[in-house]
Amino acid sequence: MDDYALVLNAGSSSLKFCVFGRPPGESWHLEARGQIEGIGTAPRLSAKGANGESLAKQDVAVRDAHEALDALAAWLRSKYDRSRLLGVGHRVVHGGARFNGPTILNTEILHELQQLVPLAPLHQPYNLAAIEAVFDRLPGVPQVACFDTSFHRGQPEVAELIPLPRELRQQGLQRYGFHGISYEYIASVLPQGAPEIADGRVIVAHLGSGSSLCALKKRKSVDSTLGFTALDGLCMGTRPGALDPGVVLHLFQSLKLSATEVETLLYKKSGLLGISGISNDMRDLLGRSEPSARLAVDYFVYRAAKEIGSLSAALGGIDALVFTAGIGENSPEIRKRICESSAWLGIELDEAANAACHPKISTTGSKPSVWVIPTNEELMIARHTGSLLGLAKAA
Ligand code: ADP
């Protein structure tokens, strides 16, 4: 293989990775995708090639981010012996107000990003631990951070505002928005994949374990449903989405829950899981007949449709709705139900196209049109890593 770039997405118990090759004069293409799962319990490295063929399935001795990187580096050396690692691109969930684009990392920037850990306690510490591990174990390899918040910078002031006193806002209390790498990728493919809507008003629905909507005007983010943290907006797998802040006061003041208990409740026990008491996984819930599973799905659809209405108002009307991510790309049923609830906007679904997950799934008469466009956050990170490090022209 040619020299390659590595894309890392580090979580609390897993290190997901993608290997992108760069044949001379060509754009980045995926060579392998894999993960080390079960870090701290029963760690296992698995990887597949670009066509889904298995490249690795092995137990590894890994207790933390450093050892996970050691295991991955050893596997990469065994597999791509003659190739050079050109750079590492990381998904970093929070870039705060300062980082409004991908950034070449150094230890000062790493320190600055550590200050944002309280704003994304489930992701940021693990994202940063992987960066530290690369500095430590692969010191000569340049690193780039791509932030889930960056794409949303430049939103109108009112969209970013949290209406608390100025002293608090000056300390960074504002709406940041997330899933920005996914939205940036979708925006980047609209001119080729859906030229008729590329310059219009588009709502992108990123529906996965975490879910949000983004309002695009001419491919720029003008509003989104996630805010200061990744708890706002839509109902998610284990997060509730928008919540009356009085509920949180009640949890502290009347129920005497500790900060850690409230954090766990909000990040890990609510949303689809909390409502159903069965699962945080949409596919599971769609296959169940219990009333609580149905209620969880009903609420998910209700909230998505309601927020589509809200962002339509922010945009002054919409030209298109785009579905993406795990649920958005793979569930005709959820798309159908959200579109039915949004029929008042003029949306009309083409049932056959929806069942087949065609890129365009609305009838010719539907205004707005509706689309399914797979996201590719890893490719977006590889492109940024390549262009920032001067490795190749953007793919
Ligand atoms: P993440 O990357 O945040 O872990 P994904 O974007 O992979 O999340 O989305 C995971 C969600 O997608 C899960 O709730 C899963 O059940 C759902 N999903 C995947 N395939 C389907 C499907 N065919 N039908 C319904 N839901 C699906």
Side-chain angles (χ1 to χ4, degrees):
M1 188 186 72
D2 313 281
D3 295 342
Y4 65 97
L6 184 64
V7 170
L8 295 181
N9 182 357
S12 60
S13 65
S14 72
L15 177 65
K16 294 185 181 152
F17 61 89
C18 284
V19 176
F20 285 89
R22 182 203 54 160
E26 286 185 31
S27 47
W28 294 104
H29 72 101
L30 183 73
E31 287 283 341
R33 151 191 310 276
Q35 56 184 335
I36 298 177
E37 303 172 271
I39 298 172
T41 52
R44 200 166 163 70
L45 186 156
S46 59
K48 290 184 173 172
N51 299 318
E53 71 282 14
S54 176
L55 299 177
K57 245 183 203 172
Q58 61 202 56
D59 292 336
V60 281
V62 165
R63 282 168 304 185
D64 58 22
H66 278 69
E67 291 182 357
L69 190 73
D70 289 341
L72 175 57
W75 181 75
L76 290 169
R77 272 193 299 273
S78 73
K79 184 96 186 78
Y80 305 114
D81 182 27
R82 292 168 191 283
S83 310
R84 210 161 39 108
L85 173 54
L86 298 167
V88 181
H90 295 263
R91 178 184 181 198
V92 177
V93 75
H94 217 305
R98 175 177 160 201
F99 295 100
N100 56 9
T103 302
I104 299 178
L105 288 158
N106 58 35
T107 43
E108 286 78 44
I109 290 176
L110 180 59
H111 180 71
E112 214 172 306
L113 295 174
Q114 263 145 2
Q115 313 309 310
L116 298 168
V117 163
L119 304 192
L122 290 202
H123 298 100
Q124 191 89 343
Y126 307 104
N127 302 158
L128 303 186
I131 294 169
E132 254 180 317
V134 174
F135 274 136
D136 198 34
R137 303 296 216 256
L138 305 168
V141 177
Q143 303 192 70
V144 168
C146 296
F147 303 99
D148 271 315
T149 47
S150 299
F151 183 65
H152 301 294
R153 297 293 59 76
Q155 286 179 350
E157 201 175 354
V158 286
E160 290 189 336
L161 186 80
I162 290 181
L164 290 175
R166 189 203 300 249
E167 315 82 78
L168 288 169
R169 285 187 273 125
Q170 281 169 341
Q171 293 170 28
L173 268 171
Q174 64 165 75
R175 301 185 73 251
Y176 289 103
F178 295 87
H179 295 137
I181 302 168
S182 173
Y183 293 128
E184 186 183 10
Y185 176 80
I186 298 292
S188 79
V189 298
L190 288 181
Q192 283 79 42
E196 66 204 75
I197 59 166
D199 287 326
R201 298 158 302 174
V202 177
I203 293 178
V204 184
H206 177 110
L207 308 179
S209 299
S211 292
S212 70
L213 305 178
C214 180
L216 296 178
K217 205 179 248 178
K218 291 186 191 283
R219 280 170 279 140
K220 301 263 182 274
S221 169
V222 295
D223 204 346
S224 54
T225 58
L226 284 171
F228 177 60
T229 67
L231 285 173
D232 203 357
L234 308 186
C235 174
M236 299 173 241
T238 57
R239 291 171 259 162
L243 204 64
D244 173 354
V247 171
V248 180
L249 284 179
H250 177 77
L251 296 174
F252 280 121
Q253 293 174 337
S254 303
L255 303 186
K256 308 286 181 205
L257 265 54
S258 70
T260 310
E261 286 168 330
V262 172
E263 182 180 285
T264 305
L265 191 67
L266 295 179
Y267 279 99
K268 296 187 174 170
K269 295 188 174 173
S270 301
L272 295 177
L273 177 64
I275 302 168
S276 68
I278 294 172
S279 173
N280 64 344
D281 188 286
M282 180 57 85
R283 203 170 3 186
D284 272 3
L285 293 172
L286 287 170
R288 305 287 290 241
S289 55
E290 291 92 329
S292 67
R294 264 185 279 149
L295 182 62
V297 177
D298 288 350
Y299 184 73
F300 181 90
V301 169
Y302 173 73
R303 289 289 301 133
K306 192 165 155 175
E307 291 296 329
I308 286 170
S310 165
L311 288 191
S312 297
L315 284 165
I318 62 165
D319 301 303
L321 172 64
V322 174
F323 287 100
T324 195
I327 300 171
E329 291 167 28
N330 298 303
S331 177
E333 182 176 344
I334 296 294
R335 290 195 301 260
K336 179 172 186 288
R337 291 187 55 186
I338 292 174
C339 285
E340 280 171 357
S341 300
S342 307
W344 64 276
L345 281 166
I347 284 176
E348 220 178 78
L349 206 59
D350 176 330
E351 299 263 354
N354 182 43
C357 298
H358 259 266
K360 189 171 179 182
I361 61 167
S362 51
T363 62
T364 44
S366 175
K367 284 210 172 7
S369 56
V370 185
W371 304 72
V372 179
I373 302 180
T375 194
N376 194 338
E377 290 156 294
E378 296 81 10
L379 178 58
M380 198 70 233
I381 296 171
R383 286 176 180 172
H384 281 310
T385 304
S387 48
L388 236 72
L389 298 178
L391 301 178
K393 65 178 172 52

